[in-house]
Amino acid sequence: MTNVTVIGAQWGDEGKGKIIDWLSNRAEMVVRFQGGNNAGHTIVVGDKTYKLSLLPSGVVQGKRSIIGNGVVVDPWSLLDEIARVGAAGLTITPDILVLAENAVLVLPLHRELDGMREDAAAQKIGTTKRGIGPSYEDKVGRRALRAIDLMDPASLPAKIEKLLAHHNVLRRGFGHAEVDAAALLVSLKEIAPKITPFIGSSWRELDAAKRAGKRILFEGAQAVLLDIDHGTYPFVTSSNTVAGQAAAGAGVGPREIGTVLGIVKSYTTRVGEGPFPTELKDATGEKLGERGHEFGTVTGRKRRCGWFDAVLVRQTVITGGVDGICLTKLDVLDGFEELKVCTHYELDGKRVDYLPADANSQALVKPVYETLEGWTDSTRGARSWAQLPANAIKYVRRIEELIGAQVALLSTSPDRDDTIMVRDPFL
Ligand code: GDP
Ligand code: IMO
Ligand code: MG
């Protein structure tokens, strides 16, 4: 038995939340290790839908859930989310949730700076405007406030002063009012007693769990193509999203992350700006979007849609460290007469088998497709391999061949139970 790390293998929204919830049934702890409330993970259980941003998806099954040190945490947003899921029947107490003491805080000034930059930029990233980039900048710049600072309010004024010395210069440059240190102090002191009961140590929790032989599920947010190093820079998020980050962002050694399960959508979507070689700006793209309900969980933005790009996933299997995949949303492809899969690109008349690193080439590569026959029978809600039409199986097998990784799980609807296990990732 091993631990399992779940990451997105495309541009996000592959269905990580659904699969983590499903897997968490057999784990004793779920840990988020990067990102923040830019993530939107949807979990459907019967007639209930939970939309989680900061809370690890293990909370739905009442599993001990850790927000690891690699996550950037907006404490106001965390409390809102706890209230929201509380109204939906999930009570989040410190018995269930631990917030790493060394996690960095996202403050209103980060959200505002994210917005100012996006609004002023000629070439926008299309961020979620949640302050994620600016808060990671402050972390690396060694001026961030961290969760543990809320336990020591007396230390806050000096830390705020250091932070504002940086931010107020930027704000003046953008023609915005400076942040009032006293007001920020008041609001932090106000929220501190509501957050501190959750604060603990991620690495010690995980060490104790390991010693007790407990199984741990590491929950990634975003996806490899949004990784700050391995993604479509600069159209990326500001954290590492690859499996390697699970170790650093939770406080365990690299051998502890176990089997890496890459979540892969049966076609491709992207929300925000940036290159997307197989994007379909036509009726087929619209159809994928409608059938897949491709609207962002966090911002409600329409997701861009296109055919499955095997070049990208072949690459993210390697850079992400993926051992096996979960293919999701196969049902969305039901009824298409034919399906296209991108096998390689052409750039300046030459064959290219990977995504070039520079943004210009990324925008210029031309996808070369292979056409597969579609299927008319429904796969929606299928719970066994035997229920799948022959052409759906051919599609899955061809994808496995092209990306160099095998399907461990298959998802056929948003519902938790509509999941087929081909290979147990915990074994
Ligand atoms: P995440 O960010 O990777 O957790 O994915 P999101 O929750 O943002 O987006 C995935 C969407 O697809 C959600 O609305 C899920 O309920 C839904 N979903 C997940 N798996 C399937 C599936 O196999 N079929 C269909 N039709 N929808 C799915
Ligand atoms: P989940 O975990 C899809 C995208 C944004 C933008 C870029 C940078 O639900 O898969 P940021 O606010 O992070 O600075 O935005 O990254 N992005 C996501 N796209 N799913 C996500 O998370 C995303 N989180 C960020 O749209 O293009
Ligand atoms: Mg999402």
Side-chain angles (χ1 to χ4, degrees):
M1 289 290 180
T2 168
N3 294 333
V4 172
T5 295
V6 171
I7 60 169
Q10 290 152 316
W11 273 296
D13 305 323
E14 298 91 350
K16 297 177 289 295
K18 164 179 167 163
I19 297 305
I20 291 154
D21 165 67
W22 187 78
L23 289 170
S24 70
N25 186 28
R26 290 181 303 135
E28 277 130 313
M29 202 174 257
V30 179
V31 194
R32 269 283 301 272
F33 55 84
Q34 46 70 231
N37 62 339
N38 49 347
H41 297 175
T42 312
I43 294 153
V44 179
V45 189
D47 59 0
K48 288 211 160 178
T49 298
Y50 305 95
K51 289 181 187 293
L52 305 178
S53 276
L54 273 168
L55 291 172
S57 299
V59 297
V60 178
Q61 302 230 28
K63 298 293 167 157
R64 193 153 174 87
S65 294
I66 315 247
I67 300 178
N69 55 275
V71 179
V72 288
V73 180
D74 179 330
W76 293 274
S77 174
L78 178 61
L79 290 182
D80 284 350
E81 192 174 328
I82 289 173
R84 203 158 30 80
V85 301
L90 298 178
T91 309
I92 309 296
T93 64
D95 284 339
I96 289 203
L97 180 69
V98 177
L99 166 61
E101 55 197 0
N102 46 349
V104 158
L105 297 181
V106 180
L107 305 174
L109 58 87
H110 294 118
R111 250 194 345 258
E112 288 158 15
L113 181 58
D114 199 349
M116 286 175 215
R117 285 194 179 136
E118 278 291 280
D119 294 345
Q123 174 62 75
K124 300 182 195 312
I125 305 289
T127 74
T128 58
K129 295 190 178 176
R130 296 295 193 269
I132 305 299
S135 57
Y136 276 118
E137 286 172 36
D138 282 347
K139 174 180 183 171
V140 177
R142 295 165 292 196
R143 56 182 170 264
L145 298 187
R146 304 191 301 169
I148 195 155
D149 298 329
L150 297 175
M151 316 255 306
D152 181 15
S155 75
L156 285 171
K159 287 175 178 150
I160 290 174
E161 192 185 341
K162 182 175 170 186
L163 184 67
L164 294 191
H166 177 81
H167 276 271
N168 281 336
V169 173
L170 290 174
R171 292 171 71 97
R172 281 200 297 276
F174 277 108
H176 272 252
E178 295 190 6
V179 176
D180 178 358
L184 178 57
L185 179 62
V186 168
S187 59
L188 285 169
K189 280 184 168 169
E190 203 175 76
I191 200 159
K194 297 176 193 150
I195 294 291
T196 49
F198 295 104
I199 294 176
S201 163
S202 176
W203 72 268
R204 283 167 56 204
E205 281 276 340
L206 293 173
D207 185 49
K210 178 186 169 186
R211 286 169 197 279
K214 292 183 176 169
R215 264 199 286 186
I216 301 162
L217 193 51
F218 295 90
E219 173 172 7
Q222 289 82 53
V224 178
L225 293 168
L226 291 170
D227 182 281
I228 187 76
D229 287 286
H230 300 286
T232 44
Y233 193 89
F235 304 98
V236 292
T237 191
S238 296
S239 65
N240 284 113
T241 56
V242 292
Q245 174 61 21
V252 297
R255 277 184 295 273
E256 305 302 325
I257 69 170
T259 303
V260 179
L261 186 67
I263 312 298
V264 177
K265 204 178 276 194
S266 302
Y267 47 101
T268 314
T269 65
R270 167 162 215 177
V271 55
E273 303 300 316
F276 181 170
T278 63
E279 182 172 15
L280 294 168
K281 294 178 176 165
D282 60 8
T284 309
E286 286 292 318
K287 186 171 162 187
L288 284 170
E290 274 165 34
R291 302 208 40 190
H293 303 288
E294 297 295 354
F295 292 92
T297 314
V298 174
T299 56
R301 287 179 292 174
K302 200 169 170 178
R303 296 176 186 146
R304 300 154 64 193
C305 297
W307 294 121
F308 187 82
D309 188 337
V311 179
L312 293 182
V313 181
R314 187 160 62 227
Q315 185 163 334
T316 62
V317 161
I318 296 167
T319 55
V322 170
D323 296 310
I325 69 160
C326 170
L327 194 66
T328 61
K329 302 191 107 166
L330 189 66
D331 55 295
V332 173
L333 301 181
D334 289 353
F336 276 82
E337 214 164 280
E338 52 183 38
L339 300 165
K340 292 190 180 186
V341 172
C342 171
T343 55
H344 58 281
Y345 303 136
E346 273 176 13
L347 182 63
D348 299 329
K350 291 197 191 87
R351 180 186 170 115
V352 180
D353 291 305
Y354 56 89
L355 189 70
D358 67 299
N360 275 343
S361 303
Q362 288 176 358
L364 290 173
V365 292
K366 293 269 169 289
V368 179
Y369 292 109
E370 173 177 301
T371 303
L372 284 90
E373 260 179 67
W375 53 90
T376 45
D377 294 344
S378 170
T379 65
R380 192 168 168 103
R383 292 185 185 179
S384 75
W385 191 256
Q387 282 171 276
L388 300 177
N391 281 348
I393 292 177
K394 278 190 195 157
Y395 185 77
V396 176
R397 292 297 184 217
R398 185 62 183 140
I399 283 179
E400 286 181 320
E401 232 165 53
L402 288 168
I403 66 171
Q406 291 188 321
V407 168
L409 303 176
L410 199 71
S411 167
T412 58
S413 99
D415 199 89
R416 176 193 281 167
D417 295 325
D418 294 334
T419 307
I420 300 171
M421 185 158 70
V422 183
R423 250 171 234 95
D424 188 341
F426 283 115
L427 293 179

